[in-house]
Amino acid sequence: FPGTLWYVYEYTGKEEWKERAERATALLESEQFNAFDHDVGFKMYCSYGNGWRLTKNPAYARIICRSAKTLGSRYSYKTGLIMSWEEDDARDWQFPVIIDNMMNLELLMEAYKLSGDTTLRHIALSHADKTMKCQYRKNYSCPHVVDYDAETGEVRKFDWNNGSDDVSVSTWARGQAWAIYGYTMMARETGSPEYLAQAKHIARFLMNHPNMPADKVPYWDFDAPNIPNAPRDASAAAIMASALIELSQLDKSDEAKSYLDFAEQQVRSLSSPEYLAEKGTNCNFVLKHSTGHLPGNSEVDVPLSYADYYYVEALMRLKKLI
């Protein structure tokens, strides 16, 4: 939500929105020390990262760097990865890593640029490289969770927490969106052709998936057993659209326009009455019909704050291309 406010300030230039963004961002200050949550990158980059980008407030830069150090404390040199959750005997997990973690790497790369701390860059690249090597099927889909041996770093098993429990095929839509966004972002930050190629592979897989609906807003899992009656996930469409817009600008091949065209279709669908809430409804969120955690029967067909954030980000990225 603070990040959404920063985007509204960027769009309007009005001081009142800056003040609102500053107040909301300040509520997260203590999270710079929260080493027990792998989502510190989401929390601190979307808020303080956008605040720093727009204001160059030196206090924001310091908090970004401290947050990255905290995130880095979850990294293991034995596995080459950032741990998502703690070891869990009930799930038989030693070192679980979820695809969502690709989104946390932007915080590390920003902190590296601000501080010159090469350890942060090393952690980001190591995590991206190991994930690319170990978390992907041949068709460039991925399960939600991979559990690694904590001592050797070898893959123990593919697993699920979100997505369907058939880990051989489960293709959790938002997880695929986190992945294409993460590798596109890493391609931007490093100039790596390998990361760019990975993002393009994922884009092709998603854009050409036979279960992608006509309006380009995915079902919560591309392999959900009850398609076409499965819930949609507007958040996955918003994240994917934002990533594809950026990918269209990084890729210099003939495919670039197809990414932009697909993203525009997604944004137009999300901007239609089917998904865009009327003012004063939907608990005052922007988008309808997101799915948070269907296997836990949690946040099914509801608004979600991060759906709104990436939708607004996609709009801002499109606006800059006009």
Side-chain angles (χ1 to χ4, degrees), residues 121-140:
R121 184 178 187 274
H122 167 80
I123 292 172
L125 269 61
S126 175
H127 186 95
D129 291 346
K130 186 75 174 276
T131 299
M132 186 163 58
K133 177 183 177 182
C134 296
Q135 195 149 350
Y136 275 84
R137 305 181 181 107
K138 290 182 179 179
N139 67 356
Y140 293 98

Side-chain angles (χ1 to χ4, degrees), residues 66 173 218 293 298 310:
R66 177 64 263 176
H293 181 43
S298 173
Y310 290 103

Side-chain angles (χ1 to χ4, degrees), residues 3-296:
T4 303
L5 295 177
W6 281 117
Y7 277 129
V8 175
Y9 165 61
E10 183 178 13
Y11 176 73
T12 65
K14 293 182 178 179
E15 196 68 19
E16 63 184 285
W17 287 106
K18 179 185 177 184
E19 292 171 359
R20 289 173 177 175
E22 288 172 335
R23 289 198 301 271
T25 297
L27 296 174
L28 291 172
E29 186 171 353
S30 65
E31 288 298 309
Q32 66 185 298
F33 304 110
N34 185 0
F36 300 100
D37 188 353
H38 63 274
D39 280 339
V40 65
F42 280 100
K43 294 175 182 177
M44 306 309 281
Y45 188 79
C46 297
S47 55
Y48 284 94
N50 278 309
W52 164 251
R53 180 175 63 84
L54 294 171
T55 70
K56 297 302 183 228
N57 181 341
Y60 288 178
R62 289 192 294 271
I63 290 173
I64 289 168
C65 292
R66 177 64 263 176
S67 301
K69 288 278 193 180
T70 298
L71 175 62
S73 72
R74 300 186 64 84
Y75 177 77
S76 163
Y77 282 91
K78 291 181 178 179
T79 63
L81 294 154
I82 300 166
M83 178 182 275
S84 295
W85 298 302
E86 307 307 316
E87 183 178 351
D88 187 337
D89 291 337
R91 294 297 297 265
D92 184 29
W93 287 341
Q94 287 188 17
F95 197 100
V97 176
I98 59 177
I99 194 61
D100 318 38
N101 259 14
M102 283 299 302
M103 300 294 286
N104 288 311
L105 305 187
E106 193 163 13
L107 174 70
L108 296 173
M109 295 303 292
E110 184 66 22
Y112 158 68
K113 289 186 289 186
L114 288 170
S115 68
D117 186 343
T118 55
T119 299
L120 300 175
R121 184 178 187 274
H122 167 80
I123 292 172
L125 269 61
S126 175
H127 186 95
D129 291 346
K130 186 75 174 276
T131 299
M132 186 163 58
K133 177 183 177 182
C134 296
Q135 195 149 350
Y136 275 84
R137 305 181 181 107
K138 290 182 179 179
N139 67 356
Y140 293 98
S141 70
C142 67
H144 186 208
V145 185
V146 175
D147 185 50
Y148 294 85
D149 186 296
E151 292 299 317
T152 68
E154 295 297 314
V155 173
R156 296 183 69 234
K157 60 178 179 177
F158 280 10
D159 213 338
W160 65 280
N161 187 65
N162 223 322
S164 74
D165 59 3
D166 185 351
V167 294
S168 63
V169 298
S170 175
T171 309
W172 176 47
R174 192 163 62 253
Q176 316 312 305
W178 293 143
I180 189 175
Y181 191 111
Y183 280 105
T184 299
M185 175 275 298
M186 287 299 289
R188 178 232 303 156
E189 290 295 315
T190 65
S192 162
E194 289 78 16
Y195 295 152
L196 181 63
Q198 183 74 0
K200 292 175 64 175
H201 285 308
I202 300 166
R204 292 186 199 110
F205 169 78
L206 292 172
M207 291 166 57
N208 296 302
H209 199 287
N211 286 342
M212 177 66 80
D215 67 1
K216 315 304 184 191
V217 178
Y219 300 103
W220 76 279
D221 191 301
F222 282 98
D223 288 280
N226 57 334
I227 289 173
N229 299 315
R232 300 294 189 92
D233 185 6
S235 75
I239 298 157
M240 186 179 168
S242 185
L244 286 171
I245 294 164
E246 179 164 61
L247 183 58
S248 76
Q249 303 307 295
L250 295 177
D251 183 28
K252 303 306 178 184
S253 75
D254 293 340
E255 287 183 277
K257 187 176 184 301
S258 69
Y259 307 143
L260 187 60
D261 290 346
F262 197 96
E264 184 176 342
Q265 291 179 66
Q266 290 182 307
V267 171
R268 288 188 180 279
S269 290
L270 294 175
S271 302
S272 72
E274 179 64 26
Y275 297 96
L276 189 68
E278 294 183 11
K279 185 177 179 180
T281 68
N282 201 41
C283 300
N284 294 311
F285 286 78
V286 178
L287 292 181
K288 302 179 285 186
H289 305 315
S290 289
T291 301
H293 181 43
L294 189 141

